[in-house]
Amino acid sequence: MRQACSFRVISVFLAVVLAAGLLSLFQFPGVPLPNVWADESVLKQIETLRGTLSLQDPARRDLGLKLADQLFEEANQLGRKSSPEGEQSLQKASLYRKQAIALYEEALGEKTGQERVGPNPQKPPNPTEGLQKIKIQFQLARLRTQLWEFDRAQPLWEVLVQQQDHPKIRLEAALQLAELHEEERAQVASQEALTFQEKADFYYRIAIEGCGSQDVCLYSHYRRAWCLYRMKKSEEAITEIKLSLWNSKGQIQEEALRDLLLFLGNSGGDGKSALREVEPVAEKISRPELYALLAEGFFASGNQGAGAHVLEHAVTQTPT
């Protein structure tokens, strides 16, 4: 009986996969293929048949992972759509995410209470190991974060940061942890905020160590610069924001440039060192108006002397 159930599940699974393959043969250019896994009736049928399988049957785990992946994608699609239903779509996305979590946790084989009781009790499957385990933990961490379950997401992200074999996953985990700690900082009194900010800085540094290419590093440098700025470490923040100014094509990043001027305008001093920071940038992109913007920053922070000094320099640089 068990073999018959397993055969039926595999038959349905193959039918779905073959249907997708046949559709691809007749695809017209520019016309997206329908996602046969997105059909709720198919998902329910697969889930029903999956439930008839033994916990030890590999087909159950494979189908569960496929269902979890699809539910994850469907939830994200619902989150991106602007529909008249609004709140109903958000509730449906939340339900899909919770269903995906249950499937991923079963696939890990670590969740307690999975044993079936009765005349034929069954043990849970052997725990998933290796890369597949890392990928499942990654999905679980993302889902918990999307559901705002930060206290349950954080331990998962920490496990992913500790592993060294998959640098891209480690990078994403470090960024997620840094941003979680910044979220916590925003919700506590100022006396406690520094602790969370220091934790965020720790994980931003891990992300920067493993970011690899310049374009990937830009975001980490930019976020860490703001982290340092909030910690009142002005000089370090300026150094860090400069590392996010240019992409790999040599193009200026406008948001980082704007914030560099903000940091410099609040850095104190007589304005001379700030000018030295801005001059090479202004010359490279031929934008002398940056001096006037820097002067405005000093005036806005109450540093009239530095503002006047920079403004005087700005006048000499303005084309006549």
Side-chain angles (χ1 to χ4, degrees):
M1 181 63 182
R2 187 178 301 164
Q3 289 180 343
C5 291
S6 180
F7 179 75
R8 278 193 297 149
V9 174
I10 294 169
S11 297
V12 174
F13 175 75
L14 287 174
V16 171
V17 173
L18 287 172
L22 288 172
L23 284 168
S24 68
L25 294 176
F26 298 99
Q27 183 182 9
F28 293 99
V31 180
L33 283 174
N35 186 349
V36 293
W37 282 90
D39 187 323
E40 284 195 33
S41 64
V42 173
L43 291 175
K44 288 178 181 178
Q45 185 179 13
I46 296 295
E47 173 56 24
T48 299
L49 292 172
R50 189 190 73 91
T52 66
L53 295 175
S54 160
L55 289 171
Q56 295 289 344
D57 193 325
R60 179 185 173 95
R61 178 177 288 178
D62 293 343
L63 289 176
L65 287 173
K66 181 63 179 177
L67 283 169
D69 290 344
Q70 186 58 45
L71 287 165
F72 176 84
E73 292 301 328
E74 288 300 304
N76 288 342
Q77 289 294 331
L78 286 169
R80 285 193 286 266
K81 289 177 182 175
S82 54
S83 62
E85 291 78 13
E87 185 64 28
Q88 186 177 353
S89 293
L90 291 176
Q91 290 175 356
K92 193 172 185 180
S94 178
L95 175 62
Y96 281 174
R97 287 180 176 124
K98 290 174 182 177
Q99 290 173 337
I101 285 172
L103 290 164
Y104 283 131
E105 286 183 336
E106 181 181 308
L108 274 180
E110 297 174 347
K111 188 177 180 182
T112 59
Q114 285 188 352
E115 296 86 347
R116 293 185 183 177
V117 296
N120 297 305
Q122 298 176 26
K123 295 180 180 179
N126 294 326
T128 303
E129 300 294 342
L131 177 58
Q132 188 177 56
K133 180 177 180 178
I134 295 293
K135 288 181 176 179
I136 294 172
Q137 289 172 324
F138 181 66
Q139 289 294 82
L140 281 169
R142 294 170 74 188
L143 287 161
R144 294 291 188 193
T145 301
Q146 290 169 345
L147 289 170
W148 295 81
E149 297 176 357
F150 296 156
D151 57 330
R152 304 181 77 175
Q154 185 173 325
L156 289 164
W157 289 125
E158 287 173 349
V159 167
L160 294 170
V161 164
Q162 289 166 10
Q163 61 84 30
Q164 303 281 341
D165 296 332
H166 308 286
K168 290 183 179 179
I169 290 178
R170 186 170 190 259
L171 165 63
E172 179 63 24
L175 285 173
Q176 289 285 348
L177 280 168
E179 291 176 7
L180 285 179
H181 286 305
E182 292 218 78
E183 184 71 28
E184 290 176 305
R185 173 202 60 80
Q187 298 176 20
V188 298
S190 57
Q191 295 87 344
E192 301 174 69
L194 182 60
T195 300
F196 289 115
Q197 206 66 68
E198 288 171 343
K199 290 179 181 177
D201 181 50
F202 171 77
Y203 287 112
Y204 281 132
R205 283 187 279 116
I206 289 178
I208 289 168
E209 288 170 7
C211 61
S213 70
Q214 182 176 347
D215 289 335
V216 176
C217 291
L218 288 178
Y219 179 77
S220 300
H221 284 303
Y222 179 78
R223 294 287 304 198
R224 181 170 186 247
W226 267 103
C227 182
L228 292 166
Y229 185 71
R230 294 189 187 101
M231 293 166 68
K232 312 298 183 187
K233 297 182 178 182
S234 179
E235 290 186 12
E236 291 181 55
I238 290 168
T239 300
E240 197 70 29
I241 199 78
K242 285 164 61 181
L243 295 172
S244 69
L245 277 180
W246 311 96
N247 66 17
S248 60
K249 298 179 180 178
Q251 298 166 325
I252 192 72
Q253 304 301 290
E254 293 294 338
E255 192 172 9
L257 176 59
R258 179 201 66 199
D259 292 341
L260 171 64
L261 294 173
L262 171 68
F263 291 0
L264 289 169
N266 286 277
S267 62
D270 57 11
K272 292 180 181 179
S273 62
L275 264 179
R276 286 195 294 271
E277 297 286 2
V278 171
E279 278 180 321
V281 179
E283 290 175 7
K284 183 174 181 177
I285 59 178
S286 302
R287 285 168 60 177
E289 68 271 18
L290 294 184
Y291 301 119
L293 292 173
L294 176 61
E296 287 178 16
F298 277 120
F299 286 128
S301 68
N303 191 341
Q304 308 300 322
H309 175 75
V310 174
L311 189 58
E312 181 181 349
H313 181 81
V315 171
T316 67
Q317 299 298 313
T318 303
T320 57

